[in-house]
Amino acid sequence: MNRQNPTSRQTLQTPGLSALRGLLPLALIILGISGCVYYNTFYNAKKNFNEAENARLKSISSGAATTRVNTSKYQKAIEKASVVLEKHPNSKYYDDALYMIGVSYYWIKDYLKSQRKFRELLANFEDSEYATMSKLYLAQCKLQLDERPEAITIFQSLLETVDDEDIKVEATFAIADFYYEQTEYDTSQIYYQILLDSLSASEDDRRRSLLKIADGNFAKFDIPAAKKAYLDALNMDPNPDEEFLALFQAGKCAYLMQDIEGGMDLFRQLAEDERYYDSIGVVRLEIARGYEMDDDLILAEEEYEAISVESQRKKSEGAALYNLGLIYQFDYVDLDKALEYYDKANALGRSLNPYYDESVKRAADIGKLANYEIRLSKDSTTTLDQLDDASLAQIKLGELYLFELNQTDSALAAFRYAVDSFPDTYYAPRAMISLAVAHRDFKEDTLAFDSLISRALAKYPKSDYYPTALEARGLLGTVADSGYPASYFDIAERWLLDESNLDSALHYYQYIVDSFPRSNLAAKARFTTIWLEDQSQKSGDDSTIIFAYNDLAELYPDDEYGKLAGSIVSYIPSAAPVETEQEIEQEPETLADSLDPDTAAFDPFTDPSGIDTTLSPELRHYIGADSRVLRDAPSNPAQYQILELIYPSTAGGMPDFFDLYYQVQIDFDGRVMEYELKNPTQYTELNSVYNEQVDNFVFDVGRFGVDGIGDG
């Protein structure tokens, strides 16, 4: 009996519509043709309805995976019965017609219309022979419409007021399933247990109840109880699917109870059963996992290798290759071999590798080692920026070893190398703090932690990382919490925003610029100073402001405030040549023409080529090769989204950081319809890998206006 949908139960079959409530008295023939039409209409409605119901119930009894519904028969029943309602409102078959229409709408999945008909029947014919079944269908409609609390109320009422055992079983199942879906497993098990103990429930219903109890116990991690219930279900004549589920889950329970051999016996039983040949790969993966748990890595590796060969073009192949990568990465610490298996798994694609995202990331992490492990050879020509980059690379290497590759000793060595080799770089305090935290959290060495944090606080009191060290020692908010760039920036902000004291604010912003030139806040403080002086017209000379922004852009070309300063200077209006009206009319539209003047941050200046070179990178790439606008966009568009893409594993020697700009056309579900990479890198592999990731990305359309979706 199909229990996938409670409403497909045979107990929901329609009670036989009474045979026209007896034969019509012969005397009524004098009603003439009108009565015959009425009779024939109802008869045809009943005929189509019963044929549809018989076909549905036959599908259920055949054990089909899905219930077959004769939609056309139900539709004809609706049409004919609706004529009875419309033209014969006083008919004694009115409730019959309502019931037929309600049931028909239910099985063709128009639950709103179905619900209306059952409510009308119950409101006007509370003593109808169809009242009880109408309540049951009404409750099922509410379940389908996600009106679950109302549905449960009706089911509970049926349990308390109805004597029909089949309906009680149906209502109990509905309540039990409701609480199970709400993850209220203890409550659901009360109702499943009622069914399990019920004499009126069928063997199929009792077995299904027991399996749901087992699943609930597994979900709430009561593993011994779950295993017992799965094994008990095997003694209740399960169908092949139920038997597979019970054995498979019982095997997983055995593993969780550390009964490795017992679990493997259950999985071997499945592997030897020819009925489950199509699932052999999944079963053998569990057997291989058992070898791993039993520390027999040789047999585990052999089993995974065999699966990868014998289960080709199936998901188990991708899973086996991924697990081989894990063995070589974490057990054998052979990263080259691990990368080989991850790459093989990734080559299968997302459809055949259930661990695709994880294997891509692990391969990428290993691939980054080639960049991070390069150590700088210092000489007299080495610049401070080069030293900073080398220090940061060692820190990232340590973090990669620590958090992704599970190699604590290698991580500590990388952090230590950064601390000892680059003590005067910007990232030196970060390296020392990372080394301290790694000792505390991964080696439980609090003495080393305290010593290193104390050194960081004493040696780098003016560092941007000073408050991180304070936090690690629980000193934020104490007398020690001062003297570093962020503390002075907070003072400047308070003078400006809370006290409205421009001069004091400018003093502290300038103090940051002068005293902490290598701080991440230096460019921001300098930008704020220039902007405030410009707004307050303290300089009295626009050229001074322009030169200040230019200097900032040149001094901090990679900082966001340096870039912003450069964009501001580039937006300063310049004198444009006078154009005739005819020239203006013939000029092709550029993005600058399409900007909404109410939303533009500055007056854009377009050079003679027609390409707006002053726009931000995001906007600039909306302009086509012919200088025409590919799509209208505001000067500060909301309709772009930053994606975090996964770095390819074989990208050793390629840059770590770069921006790619895509023009993407998406549908109303956020799926990519078309895309174009507007600034491809010189590395073909990078372009190909990121193109594939963008093609599979699903955007959050809630952030965008509908005008920009589907049309480019």
Side-chain angles (χ1 to χ4, degrees):
M1 193 175 300
N2 185 347
R3 292 298 312 177
Q4 292 179 345
N5 179 352
T7 59
S8 66
R9 280 178 46 80
Q10 196 162 358
T11 56
L12 264 181
Q13 61 184 301
T14 305
L17 293 171
S18 56
L20 298 183
R21 312 287 175 92
L23 296 175
L24 290 173
L26 185 61
L28 293 183
I29 296 177
I30 61 174
L31 294 177
I33 296 176
S34 175
C36 291
V37 172
Y38 160 49
Y39 172 84
N40 287 335
T41 300
F42 181 74
Y43 173 81
N44 287 329
K46 174 188 173 184
K47 180 175 180 293
N48 283 291
F49 178 77
N50 284 340
E51 288 176 358
E53 283 287 86
N54 288 334
R56 179 179 65 82
L57 297 173
K58 184 177 180 181
S59 172
I60 295 173
S61 61
S62 69
T66 57
T67 303
R68 296 177 183 176
V69 173
N70 192 329
T71 302
S72 63
K73 291 290 184 181
Y74 280 126
Q75 290 282 14
K76 289 180 181 178
I78 291 171
E79 293 171 9
K80 299 296 183 182
S82 295
V83 173
V84 174
L85 300 184
E86 180 181 354
K87 296 187 176 181
H88 307 283
N90 297 318
S91 168
K92 65 179 180 179
Y93 301 117
Y94 199 95
D95 60 333
D96 299 67
L98 281 173
Y99 184 73
M100 280 192 291
I101 296 172
V103 173
S104 299
Y105 272 133
Y106 182 88
W107 290 111
I108 63 175
K109 299 184 178 181
D110 193 338
Y111 302 114
L112 275 174
K113 290 182 179 179
S114 176
Q115 177 179 241
R116 292 192 195 107
K117 293 305 176 185
F118 290 125
R119 292 182 66 166
E120 182 181 351
L121 190 155
L122 291 169
N124 296 291
F125 302 94
E126 60 181 16
D127 295 328
S128 170
E129 64 179 291
Y130 307 111
T132 298
M133 286 299 295
S134 293
K135 289 179 182 178
L136 187 59
Y137 267 111
L138 177 59
Q140 297 287 8
C141 284
K142 289 187 175 297
L143 283 182
Q144 298 293 342
L145 294 170
D146 206 26
E147 299 173 8
R148 294 180 177 272
E150 296 93 328
I152 295 304
T153 299
I154 298 173
F155 284 127
Q156 197 68 52
S157 173
L158 287 170
L159 279 180
E160 296 170 358
T161 60
V162 173
D163 294 327
D164 189 307
E165 290 297 327
D166 285 339
I167 292 178
K168 282 189 173 184
V169 168
E170 187 67 36
T172 305
F173 258 123
I175 296 171
D177 289 343
F178 168 76
Y179 285 115
Y180 184 91
E181 290 163 9
Q182 299 297 313
T183 68
E184 297 183 32
Y185 301 116
D186 290 336
T187 304
S188 72
Q189 288 181 7
I190 294 173
Y191 290 94
Y192 287 131
Q193 191 65 47
I194 291 173
L195 292 164
L196 189 59
D197 297 336
S198 172
L199 296 177
S200 57
S202 68
E203 185 71 6
D204 287 345
D205 291 336
R206 295 177 65 251
R207 185 177 61 251
R208 175 182 179 267
S209 298
L210 182 57
L211 286 171
K212 294 296 284 187
I213 289 173
D215 289 342
N217 284 327
F218 190 88
K220 64 182 185 178
F221 219 70
D222 187 352
I223 303 304
K227 181 185 177 185
K228 181 180 185 304
Y230 285 128
L231 294 178
D232 287 346
L234 294 172
N235 299 320
M236 298 179 69
D237 193 24
N239 62 39
D241 289 344
E242 291 170 334
E243 183 177 347
F244 180 90
L245 171 69
L247 282 169
F248 193 89
Q249 290 297 107
K252 291 175 69 174
C253 289
Y255 279 176
L256 290 170
M257 296 169 65
Q258 298 304 308
D259 180 10
I260 310 303
E261 191 58 40
M264 293 181 71
D265 286 343
L266 292 170
F267 289 121
R268 289 191 185 101
Q269 183 178 336
L270 285 173
E272 294 166 2
D273 194 325
E274 294 181 356
R275 294 176 300 170
Y276 306 124
Y277 176 78
D278 290 340
S279 302
I280 186 65
V282 177
V283 174
R284 290 182 66 184
L285 283 172
E286 292 297 326
I287 293 174
R289 193 162 73 91
Y291 286 133
E292 270 195 271
M293 296 175 68
D294 209 24
D295 291 328
D296 196 337
L297 294 180
I298 294 177
L299 287 179
E301 184 180 353
E302 290 177 356
E303 190 70 25
Y304 283 132
E305 287 281 9
I307 296 168
S308 69
V309 173
E310 298 169 15
S311 298
Q312 291 189 1
R313 310 309 301 166
K314 293 184 178 181
K315 287 187 176 182
S316 50
E317 178 188 4
L321 291 169
Y322 175 71
N323 279 283
L324 283 166
L326 292 178
I327 287 176
Y328 273 91
Q329 178 177 341
F330 296 108
D331 295 305
Y332 298 155
V333 197
D334 184 341
L335 298 183
D336 290 337
K337 191 70 174 178
L339 180 59
E340 178 184 329
Y341 282 115
Y342 290 141
D343 285 343
K344 286 181 180 180
N346 297 336
L348 296 175
R350 193 181 301 275
S351 62
L352 294 177
N353 179 6
Y355 303 102
Y356 181 80
D357 291 337
E358 294 90 335
S359 58
V360 166
K361 186 179 186 306
R362 292 191 182 282
D365 288 339
I366 294 174
K368 290 177 183 177
L369 290 175
N371 286 339
Y372 296 156
E373 287 182 333
I374 297 175
R375 295 192 171 182
L376 182 68
S377 298
K378 293 182 286 185
D379 56 34
S380 59
T381 64
T382 304
T383 66
L384 191 56
D385 285 341
Q386 289 175 322
L387 292 172
D388 280 345
D389 291 342
S391 175
L392 180 60
Q394 288 301 309
I395 294 170
K396 288 187 174 182
L397 177 64
E399 292 172 346
L400 186 63
Y401 276 129
L402 192 64
F403 300 115
E404 305 298 339
L405 304 180
N406 198 31
Q407 296 186 35
T408 304
D409 291 337
S410 297
L412 292 174
F415 291 141
R416 174 61 68 181
Y417 181 82
V419 168
D420 295 341
S421 301
F422 308 104
D424 299 321
T425 62
Y426 174 80
Y427 297 105
R430 173 176 166 181
M432 192 172 289
I433 295 168
S434 297
L435 180 61
V437 173
H439 273 292
R440 181 192 64 187
D441 294 348
F442 292 86
K443 290 292 189 178
E444 298 183 357
D445 188 347
T446 57
L447 185 62
F449 168 79
D450 289 336
S451 174
L452 287 163
I453 290 296
S454 295
R455 283 177 57 194
L457 291 171
K459 190 171 183 177
Y460 304 107
K462 295 184 177 182
S463 163
D464 284 339
Y465 293 99
Y466 187 75
T468 305
L470 288 174
E471 183 179 16
R473 286 293 298 270
L475 295 175
L476 285 178
T478 68
V479 68
D481 189 3
S482 62
Y484 53 91
S487 67
Y488 285 108
F489 200 92
D490 288 341
I491 294 172
E493 298 280 271
R494 288 199 296 271
W495 279 117
L496 179 65
L497 302 176
D498 297 340
E499 304 297 333
S500 300
N501 189 323
L502 179 61
D503 290 334
S504 294
L506 287 171
H507 167 77
Y508 281 102
Y509 286 129
Q510 191 60 47
Y511 182 81
I512 295 170
V513 173
D514 296 337
S515 302
F516 310 104
R518 303 204 66 225
S519 168
N520 275 341
L521 291 170
K524 184 177 181 180
R526 188 163 184 162
F527 178 91
T528 306
T529 299
I530 300 170
W531 186 85
L532 288 172
E533 290 178 343
D534 183 24
Q535 296 300 309
S536 63
Q537 298 182 338
K538 291 180 71 68
S539 68
D541 184 358
D542 286 344
S543 63
T544 302
I545 297 298
I546 294 173
F547 286 131
Y549 277 133
N550 267 324
D551 288 343
L552 176 58
E554 291 175 3
L555 188 60
Y556 300 99
D558 297 324
D559 187 275
E560 61 175 313
Y561 288 94
K563 294 176 182 178
L564 182 57
S567 68
I568 290 176
V569 174
S570 66
Y571 270 106
I572 300 297
S574 301
V578 178
E579 299 173 304
T580 65
E581 292 183 6
Q582 183 178 8
E583 288 174 329
I584 295 174
E585 291 175 356
Q586 294 177 350
E587 184 176 315
E589 183 191 16
T590 68
L591 183 58
D593 298 321
S594 71
L595 293 177
D596 181 354
D598 293 331
T599 61
F602 304 96
D603 294 330
F605 168 68
T606 305
D607 69 16
S609 70
I611 298 180
D612 186 354
T613 59
T614 66
L615 297 173
S616 66
E618 292 86 1
L619 289 179
R620 192 172 301 141
H621 288 290
Y622 279 102
I623 299 178
D626 60 356
S627 303
R628 292 182 179 274
V629 176
L630 296 182
R631 168 160 152 41
D632 290 343
S635 62
N636 293 306
Q639 290 176 271
Y640 71 87
Q641 186 167 338
I642 298 175
L643 312 182
E644 291 191 9
L645 304 177
I646 299 174
Y647 197 78
S649 62
T650 56
M654 300 182 189
D656 270 347
F657 305 102
F658 45 83
D659 294 324
L660 299 179
Y661 299 102
Y662 284 84
Q663 182 180 359
V664 181
Q665 182 180 13
I666 61 177
D667 61 19
F668 283 91
D669 293 323
R671 293 181 175 84
V672 175
M673 300 166 62
E674 294 183 30
Y675 65 89
E676 181 178 355
L677 175 57
K678 307 302 291 186
N679 62 331
T681 71
Q682 60 180 308
Y683 304 102
T684 304
E685 182 191 1
L686 281 180
N687 298 335
S688 176
V689 169
Y690 290 137
N691 284 345
E692 181 180 354
Q693 293 184 46
V694 170
D695 190 35
N696 291 318
F697 194 83
V698 179
F699 287 81
D700 179 8
V701 295
R703 298 178 53 188
F704 304 145
V706 295
D707 293 341
I709 299 174
D711 64 357

